[in-house]
Amino acid sequence: MKKSLLILFMSLMVQTGLALAETANEIVVKADLKMRGQSSYTEMTMQIIRPTWTRSMSMKAWTKDQDYSLVLVTAPAQDKGSSSLKRFKEMWNWVPNIERIIKIAPSMLGQSWMGSDFTNDDLINQSSIVVDYTHKLIKEENFDKTLCWVIEATPKPNAPVVWGKQVIWISKGEYNMRKVEYYDEFEDLINTMSTFDVKILGGRKIATRQEMLPADKPDQKTVLLFHKAQFDFDIPFEFFSQKNMRDLRI
Amino acid sequence: MTPEFTVRLAWRNIWRQKRRTLITAGAIAVALLLSLVMRSMQEGSYSHNLDNATRFYSGYLQLQDSGFAENQSIDKLLPADQAFVERIRSIRGVTIAVPRLESFALGAAGDRSKGVMVMGVAPQAEDAYSGLAERVLKGRYFTSEDEKAVLVGGKLAEYFSLRVGDEFVLYGQGYHGTTAAGLYRVAGIIHFPNQQIDARIVYLPLKTAQALYQTGNQVSAWVLHGNAVKEIPALEKSARKQMGKDVNVRDWADISPELAQQIGLDRASGMFMILVLYGVVGFGLFATIAMMTLERRREFAVMLATGMGRAKLQVLVVLESLFIALTGVIMGLVLAFPILLWFYYHPIQLTGNLAETFEEMGFEAIMPFSLAPELFAGQILIVLTLLVICSLYPVARIFKLEVAAGLKGNL
C-alpha cells in the first residue's frame, strides 16, 4: 500500500515535472484542443468594421478532430444558408442563392472569408497551426494582464499554408490563444488577432471575443463574438459532407 | 554693300564649288530624309496604336473614385446616373465615355476554381468603342443589357474546359461586404492576344455585374476617349477641373505603365539612331565650312584690306553656311514629303512574325506614318543647330585673321 502510494506520488512528481518543461509544440496542441476539443460547436457573431460601413453576420460552426469543420451563416437573410466545409486539405463553399457548391482552390485560401478580415484559412483551417507548423518558445510576456508564452510558428517545408510565420501568445495555465501575429513570407506583419473577454462557455474558460486587425489598414477590423459553445460531443463524420452542407437549415 | 548684295554674294560663293556644295547639302538631305521617315513612322504608329490599344482597356483617360487605384476595392465606385454623365459631358474634348465595372471574383465550373478578372460592360457602347464583339471566337456577343451571360477568355475557357452554353459561377465579395454570387451561361468565348488577360478575363453585361456585386447604379471607371492622342494633356486638364477632388483622373500611361515604357524605350532608341546620323552629317558640314574658310584666307584678307568690316565678312560666311544647310533641308523635304504622304495614306501592312508580335501587344499590324508639323520642325531645328555650331569656327577664324600676314599668304 505504502509502496503504491509512493509510486503514485512519484509519478505525479514526474508528470508535474514534465508539465513544467512543456515544449512549445505541446502548448500549441493544448491550446488548439482547448478551443476545439475532439469536437466542438460554437455560435458566433461577426462584425466587419470599415470606415464607411459596418456589417454583421451570425454563424454556427462545427469541428471534429483536426480535419473536419463546417461553418454555416444564419444571418443576414441574403447570406443565410451559406456554408463552408473543410475536409482534410480540401475546402468548399455552398452558395444557396445560386445553389452551387464551389471548390475553393488552394490559392484562394489566403483570400478574405465573406468580405471579413479573416482569411478562408484562418476561419476554416484552424488546426493548421498544429499540423503544418513547427513551434519554438521565444519568451514569456504579459498580454491583457495575463502572463503568456510567446511561441513562434514556422511552416513545415511544403506545408500548404498561407502565412510565412505566426507568432502566438498563449496564456499560461489557461491555454487560451490571446494574440496571434500573422506574417507573410517576407516577414512583414499582415494581420494581428487579439482575443479578450475570457469567460466560461460550454464548460470551458475561453476568450469570447476575437479581433482581427489588418496591419496596413488601421481604421478597419473584424470582431468575432462567441455566444455559445459545446465541446466533446458525438458527431458523425457524415455530418461534414457536401450533402449536409447543402441541407443544413438550423 | 547693301544687305541684298551680301546675300547675293553669299549665294554665288557657295556655287563656286558646285560639287562640294551639292555633296554637303545632299548629306544633310539624306540625313533629314532618313530621320523624318523613321520618326514619322514611330510617332505615327504610337498615336495610331495608342488610339487602338487604349480602347481595349485604359482609354485615353479613366475617371475612378479617388480610393479605387489603391487596391481596386469594390467599395470605391463612381456613380453612373444621368447627373454624373452630364458632368462628364462638360469635359472639353471628350468624344466617347463608356462605363465599366471591374473587379475580381472566384470563377468556378465543375470541380475547378480560379481567381478571375470580372469586367462589366455596357454591351452596345463597349462594342462601339472597343470592338469587343469582334473578339468573340465561338458563340455570340451579349444580346441584352442584363442577360445572365458571360464571355470568357480563350485560355480561361480551356482551364475550365468550358464550352458555349455551359454554366459558370462567379463568387466573391460584393459592395460593402455583401456576398457576390452568380450563376451564368457562357454566351461566347473571346480571344485576346495578350495571354495573361486571355487566361483571366470574364465579361458580363454591366447591369448583370452591378447585380452580382450589388453596387446599384455605380461603376468602377468611366473610360474616356478624345479626338487624338496629342490632345490627352488638354483633356486631362479639363477633366480634373470639371470633376473635382473626389474623382481620380488617370491617363493611359498611369493605368498601363508597361505600354508607356515600351513606347518610351522605342522612342529613345529612335532618337539615339538619329543622334548618330546627325553626328556624322554634322562633321561633314563642319569639314565643308572649315575648308571654305581656310582656302579663302587670302581672299578674306584682301576684302578686309580694301575696307570691308570684319562683322560683314562674318555675316557673309554664316550666310554661305546657312544656304548650304537650307539647300540640304529643302532637298530633304522635297524627297521626304511625297514618301511620307504616300505612306500616310497607304500604311505599311506588316506580315508574319512581326505582325504577330504587334497583335500580341494589342496593336494593329500596320505601320502608319505621322505628318505632324512638329516632327518636321524638330528635324529642321536640329539641322539649324548643327549649322550654328559649325559656323562658330569661321566666325572665330575671321575675327582673328591678321590682314598683313593673310595678304602675304604666310599663315
Side-chain angles (χ1 to χ4, degrees), chain B residues 187-334:
Chain B
I189 291 166
I190 45 180
H191 171 71
F192 280 109
N194 183 324
Q195 302 224 344
Q196 267 178 321
I197 293 170
D198 207 43
R200 297 185 59 204
I201 191 94
V202 176
Y203 275 96
L204 291 173
L206 182 62
K207 290 211 170 105
T208 313
Q210 286 170 338
L212 168 66
Y213 289 106
Q214 298 169 50
T215 60
N217 193 16
Q218 297 189 90
V219 296
S220 63
W222 278 96
V223 181
L224 308 186
H225 212 76
N227 279 317
V229 170
K230 64 175 184 214
E231 284 169 23
I232 292 176
L235 190 67
E236 194 170 349
K237 204 172 149 205
S238 175
R240 272 190 220 287
K241 205 175 123 206
Q242 296 294 333
M243 304 313 291
K245 260 213 317 263
D246 299 339
V247 177
N248 191 7
V249 180
R250 301 175 68 193
D251 64 10
W252 64 272
D254 185 21
I255 294 166
S256 315
E258 63 291 339
L259 188 62
Q261 279 166 8
Q262 233 167 32
I263 288 179
L265 199 68
D266 195 58
R267 185 178 273 144
S269 75
M271 294 287 202
F272 179 74
M273 293 275 289
I274 286 171
L275 213 68
V276 171
L277 194 63
Y278 276 121
V280 173
V281 172
F283 278 110
L285 183 67
F286 181 74
T288 304
I289 291 174
M291 244 192 290
M292 267 166 44
T293 316
L294 290 174
E295 72 185 6
R296 288 156 68 197
R297 271 176 301 193
R298 197 179 156 83
E299 176 190 327
F300 289 161
V302 170
M303 289 173 91
L304 289 176
T306 51
M308 191 179 193
R310 272 178 205 264
K312 210 153 234 177
L313 191 59
Q314 283 164 337
V315 170
L316 180 75
V317 180
V318 171
L319 271 178
E320 286 172 17
S321 324
L322 182 70
F323 281 142
I324 294 180
L326 281 183
T327 311
V329 167
I330 290 165
M331 279 163 63
L333 289 181
V334 167

Side-chain angles (χ1 to χ4, degrees), chain A:
Chain A
M1 189 63 196
K2 263 190 176 171
K3 199 177 175 185
S4 60
L5 263 179
L6 189 68
I7 289 168
L8 184 69
F9 182 70
M10 274 175 69
S11 67
L12 269 175
M13 285 283 286
V14 171
Q15 270 179 7
T16 339
L18 276 176
L20 283 174
E22 256 176 329
T23 64
N25 182 261
E26 284 163 343
I27 296 168
V28 174
V29 169
K30 262 191 168 169
D32 183 59
L33 266 179
K34 168 123 193 232
M35 205 53 202
R36 297 186 312 107
Q38 289 310 312
S39 64
S40 75
Y41 166 71
T42 43
E43 288 181 17
M44 312 165 259
T45 313
M46 180 181 268
Q47 289 168 337
I48 303 169
I49 296 161
R50 296 287 178 271
T52 50
W53 52 271
T54 59
R55 198 170 113 84
S56 179
M57 255 195 283
S58 300
M59 50 217 200
K60 298 174 178 177
W62 293 261
T63 67
K64 184 178 172 71
D65 301 339
Q66 290 176 337
D67 299 315
Y68 300 89
S69 63
L70 181 62
V71 179
L72 173 74
V73 178
T74 53
Q78 54 170 346
D79 289 329
K80 193 176 171 177
S82 298
S83 55
S84 300
L85 170 69
K86 181 210 148 194
R87 288 165 64 96
F88 298 93
K89 301 282 173 218
E90 291 180 303
M91 183 175 161
W92 297 268
N93 278 11
W94 164 247
V95 191
N97 53 358
I98 56 170
E99 304 195 328
R100 288 295 180 279
I101 287 173
I102 297 168
K103 186 167 181 205
I104 303 298
S107 61
M108 300 297 286
L109 285 176
Q111 298 298 312
S112 143
W113 186 83
M114 307 228 26
S116 69
D117 294 306
F118 287 85
T119 63
N120 284 317
D121 197 65
D122 297 334
L123 211 78
I124 196 91
N125 200 15
Q126 291 165 340
S127 64
S128 160
I129 186 65
V130 177
V131 184
D132 297 325
Y133 291 79
T134 55
H135 312 96
K136 199 174 96 194
L137 188 63
I138 46 179
K139 58 181 173 185
E140 291 182 9
E141 197 181 78
N142 269 319
F143 174 82
D144 192 28
K145 294 174 199 147
T146 313
L147 189 60
C148 295
W149 289 292
V150 183
I151 291 166
E152 190 181 86
T154 23
K156 292 174 183 168
N158 300 324
V161 297
V162 171
W163 306 109
K165 186 179 94 178
Q166 295 187 25
V167 181
I168 312 160
W169 280 252
I170 294 173
S171 57
K172 285 186 97 166
E174 286 178 348
Y175 295 94
N176 283 322
M177 281 201 195
R178 298 306 309 271
K179 183 172 160 187
V180 184
E181 288 179 343
Y182 301 89
Y183 293 84
D184 66 7
E185 65 270 40
F186 310 110
E187 303 246 324
D188 286 328
L189 179 64
I190 304 299
N191 290 330
T192 306
M193 186 182 79
S194 311
T195 68
F196 307 95
D197 302 346
V198 179
K199 281 192 281 202
I200 293 185
L201 211 62
R204 296 185 180 192
K205 211 174 171 195
I206 56 172
T208 58
R209 177 161 62 99
Q210 297 188 349
E211 292 192 356
M212 184 69 87
L213 284 94
D216 59 341
K217 296 176 198 101
D219 50 0
Q220 70 179 54
K221 66 176 174 182
T222 300
V223 181
L224 200 57
L225 299 166
F226 291 80
H227 307 296
K228 218 175 180 185
Q230 203 184 325
F231 297 98
D232 294 332
F233 50 91
D234 273 337
I235 187 164
F237 291 110
E238 296 77 56
F239 184 84
F240 301 92
S241 66
Q242 292 191 16
K243 183 181 178 313
N244 196 38
M245 148 191 213
R246 225 176 318 190
D247 296 343
L248 268 181
R249 299 267 189 278
I250 303 169

Side-chain angles (χ1 to χ4, degrees), chain B residues 32-33 35-48 228 230 332-347 367-380:
Chain B
L32 188 70
L33 172 74
S35 43
L36 265 179
V37 168
M38 180 153 106
R39 293 289 298 143
S40 165
M41 196 158 77
Q42 278 190 324
E43 293 303 325
S45 61
Y46 300 154
S47 57
H48 177 85
K230 64 175 184 214
L333 289 181
V334 167
L335 281 173
F337 200 70
I339 298 177
L340 297 188
L341 205 63
W342 168 264
F343 283 119
Y344 181 74
Y345 288 107
H346 307 92
M367 273 277 185
F369 280 60
S370 162
L371 287 180
E374 54 267 30
L375 264 184
F376 293 86
Q379 300 305 315
I380 292 168

